[in-house]
Amino acid sequence: MEQKGVRATHALRVFIQGGGCSGFQYGMTFDSNPRPIDRVFEEHGLRVVVDPQSLQYMAGSSIDYLDGPTGGGFHIDNPNMASSCSGTGCSSCR
């Protein structure tokens, strides 16, 4: 992460936002000051911070950093999130 300009004192904060017809979306930011109520995980030298509300939707998820010819970024694989919308609007959401 230091190659990307992120200090060792920072953690990746991952959170769930949104809801409704468009479903949940992930938010990410770098955070140097996790709160006492946050869960902090560390793997491969990267600290990941998740707030309690987001954690309930992210249990069992994995986060990878993918770097390819068109750029890089974090990818979240969450077995708990499955879209129930058919794409025809909110009336199709269940």
Side-chain angles (χ1 to χ4, degrees):
M1 293 308 298
E2 290 177 14
Q3 296 171 349
K4 301 290 183 184
V6 178
R7 297 184 188 131
T9 57
H10 286 71
L12 177 67
R13 177 175 291 281
V14 181
F15 53 93
I16 301 282
Q17 61 187 20
C21 187
S22 62
F24 291 109
Q25 295 181 20
Y26 296 103
M28 295 184 198
T29 188
F30 288 104
D31 190 344
S32 62
N33 194 21
R35 300 172 307 198
I37 63 170
D38 292 330
R39 284 285 309 265
V40 180
F41 304 90
E42 186 164 347
E43 283 289 327
H44 306 288
L46 176 68
R47 287 187 310 143
V48 177
V49 177
V50 183
D51 65 88
Q53 185 173 355
S54 296
L55 186 62
Q56 65 183 331
Y57 297 104
M58 296 189 67
S61 297
S62 64
I63 302 172
D64 288 321
Y65 185 83
L66 305 176
D67 201 1
T70 59
F74 289 99
H75 171 76
I76 299 175
D77 182 23
N78 186 342
N80 303 307
M81 295 291 184
S83 175
S84 62
C85 291
S86 66
T88 58
C90 283
S91 62
S92 64
C93 295
R94 292 184 175 49

